[in-house]
Amino acid sequence: HAMGGVPAWAETNKRKSSSDDESEEDEDDLLQRTGNFISTSTSLPRGILKMKNCQHANAERPTAACISSVQFHPGAQIVMVAGLDNAVSLFQVDGKTNPKIQSIYLERFPIFKACFSAKGEEVLATSTHSKVLYVYDMLAGKLIPVHQVRESTPCVGQHTVSDLYRGSARCAGVGVQSPTTKELIGSMKINGRVAASTFSSDSKKVYTSSGDGEVYVWDVNSRKCLNRFVDEGSLYGLSIATSRNGQYVACG
């Protein structure tokens, strides 16, 4: 009131009437409600969702360190937990006791990212403190160190697994390696730091999110950039995922 009343931009009951602002009004309405914008859910019934508390997955091996990766096995009733305490632990999931199957300790190797291979026969782990990629063969019970390609830097981060290839995201490039021989197939360079990467459902494309908010689409066979677009509103890309039908890309 001391400055002459409420400014126009702060009035909540004033609606824009100009035709030029219709698109902005539609956008405001879109952001003010929640719901299914694409389609209705076919798996969740209407009504109340029943929930119950279960035992912690890592109850038999709790850790005070930060947990960096949690993933369910693609085919078995097993969950994998890895973290900055240099250990990868496997638990049998029953919701009651969740007994520990085994733990793999990697000396001086705080795990930044770990995941199962596409078929669930291996566990892959990377660290920001080392250029080595550790592969644990679950069937043979053998730990295999795989040295990174020569142009990689110590900031080896997230890795993505598909049926055909394994890509490791580094500071400014993405290396694609064979899951069988662990040899380098090719690499792709981007502007800035690689924040996250993922494969398409058919493993023919790689989607890479950079630290400056740009998303790159690569052809795996030719290693050429097919498309490049900006993730609007992104301050720093942390995750990226694709839908199974290849229609949607989600960036976070």
Side-chain angles (χ1 to χ4, degrees), residues 5 7 31 37 47 53 69 77 133-134 138 143 175 179 184 191 200 212 216:
L31 298 177
F37 294 101
N53 292 327
S69 298
Q77 202 165 339
L133 164 71
Y134 276 104
M138 299 175 62
L143 187 64
L184 179 68
N191 297 327
S200 60
D212 56 4
Y216 296 75

Side-chain angles (χ1 to χ4, degrees), residues 57-73:
N58 63 335
E60 290 200 357
R61 191 192 179 277
T63 175
C66 175
I67 294 177
S68 58
S69 298
V70 178
Q71 185 185 3
F72 284 99
H73 191 277

Side-chain angles (χ1 to χ4, degrees), residues 4-27:
V6 180
W9 58 266
E11 293 182 3
T12 57
N13 58 353
K14 183 178 179 181
R15 300 293 296 177
K16 298 177 182 179
S17 58
S18 174
S19 58
D20 296 337
D21 298 330
E22 290 181 357
S23 60
E24 295 184 8
E25 291 182 8
D26 294 338
E27 183 177 349

Side-chain angles (χ1 to χ4, degrees), residues 164-219:
L164 299 179
Y165 303 99
R166 200 277 309 170
S168 62
R170 301 187 300 275
C171 278
V174 179
V176 181
Q177 291 176 289
S178 168
T180 54
T181 64
K182 307 299 185 294
E183 293 178 341
L184 179 68
I185 297 175
S187 61
M188 296 86 79
K189 299 291 184 181
I190 72 168
N191 297 327
R193 181 188 177 96
V194 176
S197 61
T198 185
F199 282 90
S200 60
S201 59
D202 57 5
S203 299
K204 294 182 179 180
K205 297 178 182 177
V206 174
Y207 295 81
T208 303
S209 176
S210 65
D212 56 4
E214 284 190 309
V215 178
Y216 296 75
V217 184
W218 305 88
D219 179 72

Side-chain angles (χ1 to χ4, degrees), residues 1 5 16 26 42 44 59 63 82 126 132 137-138 155 161-162 176-177 183 187 189 200 220 226 233 242 247:
H1 289 287
K16 298 177 182 179
D26 294 338
T42 58
L44 294 177
T63 175
T126 57
V132 178
D137 190 334
M138 299 175 62
C155 58
V161 176
S162 77
V176 181
Q177 291 176 289
E183 293 178 341
S187 61
K189 299 291 184 181
S200 60
V220 173
L226 302 177
T242 57
Q247 186 176 1

Side-chain angles (χ1 to χ4, degrees), residues 1-248:
H1 289 287
M3 299 303 294
V6 180
W9 58 266
E11 293 182 3
T12 57
N13 58 353
K14 183 178 179 181
R15 300 293 296 177
K16 298 177 182 179
S17 58
S18 174
S19 58
D20 296 337
D21 298 330
E22 290 181 357
S23 60
E24 295 184 8
E25 291 182 8
D26 294 338
E27 183 177 349
D28 292 339
D29 294 338
L30 180 68
L31 298 177
Q32 289 175 0
R33 70 183 182 91
T34 59
N36 297 318
F37 294 101
I38 300 177
S39 62
T40 58
S41 175
T42 58
S43 57
L44 294 177
R46 292 180 179 271
I48 299 176
L49 295 179
K50 295 182 179 180
M51 302 172 62
K52 73 172 183 177
N53 292 327
C54 296
Q55 180 67 276
H56 291 307
N58 63 335
E60 290 200 357
R61 191 192 179 277
T63 175
C66 175
I67 294 177
S68 58
S69 298
V70 178
Q71 185 185 3
F72 284 99
H73 191 277
Q77 202 165 339
I78 298 173
V79 65
M80 179 269 299
V81 180
L84 302 183
D85 59 350
N86 306 351
V88 178
S89 299
L90 302 175
F91 300 90
Q92 184 75 32
V93 181
D94 59 9
K96 298 178 181 179
T97 60
N98 301 327
K100 187 184 78 171
I101 299 175
Q102 69 177 132
S103 294
I104 304 99
Y105 182 78
L106 306 175
E107 187 175 358
R108 290 182 295 179
F109 198 84
I111 299 169
F112 180 78
K113 181 70 177 181
C115 66
F116 288 108
S117 62
K119 296 181 180 180
E121 298 176 351
E122 297 175 333
V123 176
L124 297 88
T126 57
S127 174
T128 56
H129 292 61
S130 174
K131 295 183 179 181
V132 178
L133 164 71
Y134 276 104
V135 179
Y136 178 70
D137 190 334
M138 299 175 62
L139 300 179
K142 186 178 180 181
L143 187 64
I144 307 170
V146 179
H147 295 279
Q148 295 292 331
V149 291
R150 59 182 179 274
E151 66 265 29
S152 66
T153 61
C155 58
V156 177
Q158 190 176 23
H159 54 256
T160 304
V161 176
S162 77
D163 290 322
L164 299 179
Y165 303 99
R166 200 277 309 170
S168 62
R170 301 187 300 275
C171 278
V174 179
V176 181
Q177 291 176 289
S178 168
T180 54
T181 64
K182 307 299 185 294
E183 293 178 341
L184 179 68
I185 297 175
S187 61
M188 296 86 79
K189 299 291 184 181
I190 72 168
N191 297 327
R193 181 188 177 96
V194 176
S197 61
T198 185
F199 282 90
S200 60
S201 59
D202 57 5
S203 299
K204 294 182 179 180
K205 297 178 182 177
V206 174
Y207 295 81
T208 303
S209 176
S210 65
D212 56 4
E214 284 190 309
V215 178
Y216 296 75
V217 184
W218 305 88
D219 179 72
V220 173
N221 291 328
S222 63
R223 266 81 68 187
K224 292 183 179 180
C225 183
L226 302 177
N227 192 12
R228 174 180 169 186
F229 63 90
V230 177
D231 179 19
E232 294 292 340
S234 173
L235 298 178
Y236 189 90
L238 292 177
S239 60
I240 188 170
T242 57
S243 60
R244 293 186 178 181
N245 62 358
Q247 186 176 1
Y248 300 104

